[in-house]
Amino acid sequence: MKASIVSCLLASVTSVAAAGKKYTIEGNGIKAQFIPYGATLTNLFVKDKNGKDVDVVLGYDDADYYPVDPSHPVYNAIPGRYVNRIGNAKYTIGPKTFYTQKNDGNNTLHSGTNNWSFRNWNIKEHTRDSITFAILDASNSSLGMIGDVKAEVKYSVRDSTWKIEMSAKSPEAKTPLMLTQHTYFNLDAYRNPVTDKIWNHTLYMPYSSRYLVAGDDAVPTGEIATAKPGSINDFASKRGIQIGHASGSPEFPGNCGAGGQCEGYNGYWLIDKAPKDAVVVTLASQFSGIKAELKTDQLGVQAYSCNWFSGTDNKLKSTQGIPAAGRANVTRSSCIAIEPHDYVDGINHPEWGRKEAQLTGPGEKYTWNASWKFSRA
């Protein structure tokens, strides 16, 4: 595995992960399972409206398949060291220009094809209700990402809540650093007999009327727009807005770019003036009766409605789907990835005032925090 070349054992790490093994943590009303590859969440069981366990995130039964999956959808992993897109695969620090791998047209996605979601992390600590992964990302192991970075992610569960805490340092050089947990949800676990699409889920982001306008390549243009109530990108004006509320409009095909071939959403919404510890995103399903509430210290969220899944390449887990109905694969628009992080491509848009915040250098510590609380809708 190519990731093994650059994933080193940190001095504080107490154990090396066994290949193909899932590590379980449990709390009241919630159980989560992880693998070291990508520090990936493989299963997340929460209670539905009938008190039954439902696995609400995408993934695979076979832990050994994640490293060899040719599609590599970044299922519930930690990409890095700089997530989302870098426009034109380059950025500057002072007078110097750095060039990154073009793995998304002319742009860089998640730092390229050797990003942290392709790496084996090490287990620093594992208890009944928490697990901590650690990684040393060597300088330039992702093209154009200079300086070693040491990072950790701690996952914990308690009282139907999944908490994620990340920290990272670049001891010797200033480098781009922006992380996320790339979580894919289908709160029905593909068991709704009417549809496996995500359009019937509701999405409420009360502090996110503004969003970054993006081009056909999903890279921000620099413009920040405000969604009018009832418009295609409005998830702020009222509760209970269905993700597919605009699915019949001519704007829906192409709303997320690709020359009109991407239906739905693949955009970034700003979180404006949210009170401390406020719920900034609520995802819910009437069918399962599950509500997921996000709290985070990040400035916005990327929401992607799974347009590029073919319906043939990505198998559902045995905990999901309706086998008798032949529902066994992830189909187009049947899930939603919600990724809290700083402004997309902020290192190339100084007008937003986020460039310096997205560069971490010697003596500085990067932190990231979020939690998902699950309850009945």
Side-chain angles (χ1 to χ4, degrees), residues 356-375:
E356 290 305 314
Q358 294 182 8
L359 297 171
T360 298
E364 299 173 331
K365 183 178 181 181
Y366 171 95
T367 60
W368 183 106
N369 293 280
S371 67
W372 285 98
K373 181 176 178 59
F374 298 88
S375 60

Side-chain angles (χ1 to χ4, degrees), residues 201-254:
H201 283 43
T202 60
L203 183 65
Y204 181 47
M205 301 190 290
Y207 307 100
S208 298
S209 60
R210 295 197 303 158
Y211 62 94
L212 301 183
V213 176
D216 247 11
D217 56 1
V219 175
T221 63
E223 180 186 356
I224 298 176
T226 299
K228 295 180 181 179
S231 64
I232 190 169
N233 290 317
D234 171 37
F235 293 99
S237 65
K238 62 180 181 180
R239 289 185 179 273
I241 302 174
Q242 290 192 341
I243 296 175
H245 72 278
S247 59
S249 75
E251 298 174 278
F252 203 67

Side-chain angles (χ1 to χ4, degrees), residues 253-326:
N255 186 54
C256 48
Q261 300 304 304
C262 181
E263 66 178 18
Y265 300 94
N266 188 19
Y268 182 87
W269 281 261
L270 283 59
I271 298 172
D272 289 321
K273 299 180 180 178
K276 185 178 180 180
D277 207 34
V279 173
V280 295
V281 175
T282 300
L283 179 70
S285 165
Q286 184 178 9
F287 173 77
S288 66
I290 296 172
K291 177 172 65 176
E293 296 177 308
L294 173 70
K295 296 180 179 181
T296 184
D297 62 357
Q298 299 301 293
L299 296 184
V301 293
Q302 181 86 8
Y304 165 55
S305 58
C306 296
N307 177 80
W308 300 115
F309 286 83
S310 67
T312 59
D313 296 334
N314 303 90
K315 300 293 184 184
L316 295 178
K317 291 175 284 187
S318 59
T319 54
Q320 299 178 325
I322 307 175

Side-chain angles (χ1 to χ4, degrees), residues 95-137:
K96 187 171 182 179
T97 299
F98 296 86
Y99 296 90
T100 52
Q101 180 188 3
K102 292 182 178 181
N103 67 322
D104 186 54
N106 288 321
N107 309 303
T108 301
L109 178 60
H110 297 319
S111 301
T113 57
N114 194 33
N115 72 68
W116 296 0
S117 68
F118 289 91
R119 314 278 185 90
N120 269 324
W121 294 53
N122 297 291
I123 295 177
K124 183 174 180 179
E125 184 179 31
H126 181 207
T127 68
R128 181 183 180 277
D129 61 3
S130 73
I131 189 167
T132 301
F133 294 101
I135 192 171
L136 171 57
D137 180 26

Side-chain angles (χ1 to χ4, degrees), residues 58 185-201 243 263 285 287 305-306 309-312 314 316 320-322 325-336:
L58 277 63
F185 289 107
N186 182 306
L187 298 182
D188 297 338
Y190 292 85
R191 292 178 176 176
N192 185 338
V194 176
T195 182
D196 62 353
K197 303 299 185 187
I198 204 71
W199 307 138
N200 289 344
H201 283 43
I243 296 175
E263 66 178 18
S285 165
F287 173 77
S305 58
C306 296
F309 286 83
S310 67
T312 59
N314 303 90
L316 295 178
Q320 299 178 325
I322 307 175
R327 188 179 292 174
N329 299 304
V330 179
T331 56
R332 187 187 193 197
S333 307
S334 68
C335 56
I336 184 166

